[in-house]
Amino acid sequence: MKKPFFSVIIPTYNRANLLNQTLESLKMQIFSDYEAFVIDDGSSDETSEVFKKYSDNQNWNFIRLEKNKGQAYCRNLAIKQANGKFLTFLDADDVWLPGRLEKFYKLSIDNNDTGFIFSNGYIFQDNTIIGKFFRENRKIPTGKLYPYMAISNYWLPYVTTNVAFLKEAIAKIGYFREDMSHLEDMELYTKVLKYYKVDYIPEPLSVYRIHSLSKNPQSLTLKYEKGLEDFLISLDTANPPPEVSETLKNYVYYNQAVIYLKNGFGEKTRECIGKIGNKKNNYKTFLLYAFSFTPKFVLAILRFFYKKYRTLKLKAFAPEEFGKTEKWFKELGREI
């Protein structure tokens, strides 16, 4: 029996309202040489009904867990059953554009020694596409890189929904760590880079949803201390030189502070800034600290206009691209 080229892995937990669109985007893929594993991680919503709707799709495997085990457990469970040459992931609140797998395939067959691939993607928030992960002309390193270059997005601006890597790597590096709740994917990718080259596609091939933290106070993103703990574990795995370690720590602290500020958590913003080293003459850090005292309603207004600016900028510089994506979204049943 011929093995598929890709194994697509989709863990889901209480995402029935979004999972339907996620699976529909997988169904619309131009490239069909794949198998899929959709794992219900003990959901209590209507996920089982969504599973029934797609149960007739060939090579789609639906797995139901009685108790919630966590994303890493679900991914590992699927990996152990996967037959594809490449493992690739689709989060249950994200979607892929129809050419996603096809373009990943074309890149991988042209780079036989590349084991880690990622693409650009659209960012979707508050029912609107507000931008991309990176500019298409951004200088992104490729080839054989240091493992620490998978830490955060300082060098490689990826998210797991936009990643594929060789399944054979698991035999060398092991599985996702199940004792990490936040950054088990990043920790794994640092180990992938120890053995394999990286390449990327500058074109956006997915839509990544950002959920409002102020509306979702239980978000893992807000569990800062645990997130920092997992970041430090990943950093230890990558084992960078001291000066690189310091640079990455400062970068992560700063960006976490920005996230808190955007969501109106001034005190937490200042806590993060306090952990940044070498703040002297850093005007960005100074401005961030000053803005942390801004009332929440003012921040909300500024955030609203900033999102509008990003959307208008995208429409102005890539109107045809934006129009096609908008039309495609409507085919999935969502109006932008």
Side-chain angles (χ1 to χ4, degrees):
M1 181 178 176
K2 181 180 177 294
K3 292 185 177 181
F5 193 84
F6 290 107
S7 292
V8 180
I9 299 173
I10 308 172
T12 183
Y13 178 62
N14 288 337
R15 292 288 194 189
N17 61 322
L18 298 175
L19 181 62
N20 186 76
Q21 293 176 346
T22 300
L23 296 182
E24 198 65 28
S25 76
L26 178 60
K27 188 177 178 180
M28 293 174 65
Q29 290 300 301
I30 297 170
F31 186 84
S32 60
D33 188 13
Y34 71 87
E35 63 181 358
F37 295 89
V38 191
I39 306 97
D40 179 3
D41 191 17
S43 298
S44 57
D45 61 3
E46 304 300 319
T47 295
S48 59
E49 296 301 314
V50 179
F51 277 19
K52 289 178 183 178
K53 180 178 177 181
Y54 292 94
S55 61
D56 292 337
N57 285 276
Q58 189 175 10
N59 295 328
W60 288 30
N61 305 281
F62 295 92
I63 302 170
R64 161 77 180 172
L65 302 181
E66 293 301 320
K67 294 183 179 180
N68 181 260
K69 296 285 191 177
Q71 186 167 254
Y73 179 91
C74 292
R75 286 174 174 164
N76 288 339
L77 182 66
I79 290 171
K80 292 170 185 176
Q81 302 178 47
N83 297 299
K85 180 178 180 181
F86 274 82
L87 302 171
T88 189
F89 306 94
L90 175 56
D91 288 347
D93 55 345
D94 300 332
V95 293
W96 285 347
L97 274 67
R100 198 276 200 182
L101 286 180
E102 180 185 49
K103 291 178 180 179
F104 269 57
Y105 171 74
K106 288 180 178 178
L107 178 64
S108 64
I109 60 173
D110 292 337
N111 296 272
N112 294 327
D113 55 352
T114 297
F116 182 87
I117 300 169
F118 68 96
S119 78
N120 204 343
Y122 293 105
I123 300 171
F124 185 83
Q125 187 175 26
D126 295 333
N127 208 34
T128 304
I129 292 177
I130 63 170
K132 303 175 185 177
F133 276 99
F134 57 89
R135 302 183 311 276
E136 280 86 343
N137 62 353
R138 173 175 167 175
K139 299 294 183 182
I140 297 175
T142 59
K144 192 69 181 71
L145 306 179
Y146 294 108
Y148 62 73
M149 296 179 86
I151 298 288
S152 190
N153 62 353
Y154 190 86
W155 287 280
L156 304 179
Y158 67 86
V159 294
T160 292
T161 281
N162 299 337
V163 166
F165 70 91
L166 280 171
K167 184 180 185 296
E168 71 175 36
I170 293 297
K172 295 182 179 181
I173 65 175
Y175 295 89
F176 288 100
R177 285 184 57 157
E178 296 176 15
D179 59 334
M180 299 174 69
S181 62
H182 285 60
L183 303 175
E184 74 281 354
D185 48 356
M186 188 171 75
E187 197 270 346
L188 186 80
Y189 303 152
T190 63
K191 292 185 283 190
V192 173
L193 289 192
K194 288 182 180 180
Y195 301 100
Y196 297 98
K197 294 181 179 180
V198 64
D199 206 347
Y200 75 100
I201 301 170
E203 179 184 354
L205 298 175
S206 69
V207 181
Y208 176 84
R209 286 186 175 92
I210 294 180
H211 303 276
S212 172
L213 301 185
S214 58
K215 295 178 182 178
N216 183 17
Q218 298 304 313
S219 171
L220 285 176
T221 308
L222 289 179
K223 296 179 180 178
Y224 171 66
E225 295 301 330
K226 185 66 175 102
L228 176 59
E229 179 183 325
D230 286 357
F231 160 69
L232 294 174
I233 289 173
S234 301
L235 198 62
D236 184 63
T237 299
N239 192 29
E243 62 275 14
V244 175
S245 179
E246 184 69 14
T247 296
L248 286 169
K249 286 179 182 178
N250 291 340
Y251 181 77
V252 168
Y253 291 140
Y254 176 84
N255 282 282
Q256 183 65 46
V258 170
I259 290 172
Y260 280 135
L261 178 65
K262 286 181 178 179
N263 289 275
F265 298 98
E267 185 176 349
K268 287 185 174 294
T269 300
R270 293 188 289 276
E271 287 179 10
C272 286
I273 291 173
K275 295 178 181 292
I276 299 174
N278 299 321
K279 291 188 284 292
K280 188 176 181 181
N281 298 325
N282 189 328
Y283 75 94
K284 287 185 177 180
T285 303
F286 174 78
L287 287 176
L288 192 62
Y289 181 83
F291 272 109
S292 72
F293 294 96
T294 306
K296 284 189 176 183
F297 78 93
V298 176
L299 289 173
I301 294 171
L302 293 174
R303 190 166 61 247
F304 172 80
F305 282 109
Y306 178 67
K307 288 177 183 175
K308 288 292 184 184
Y309 164 75
R310 289 187 69 177
T311 303
L312 290 172
K313 183 179 178 182
L314 181 61
K315 288 182 177 179
F317 287 95
E320 183 179 355
E321 172 191 328
F322 185 87
K324 287 181 178 179
T325 306
E326 183 179 48
K327 180 180 178 182
W328 176 76
F329 255 134
K330 289 180 178 180
E331 291 176 355
L332 283 179
R334 174 178 289 276
E335 292 188 4
I336 297 177

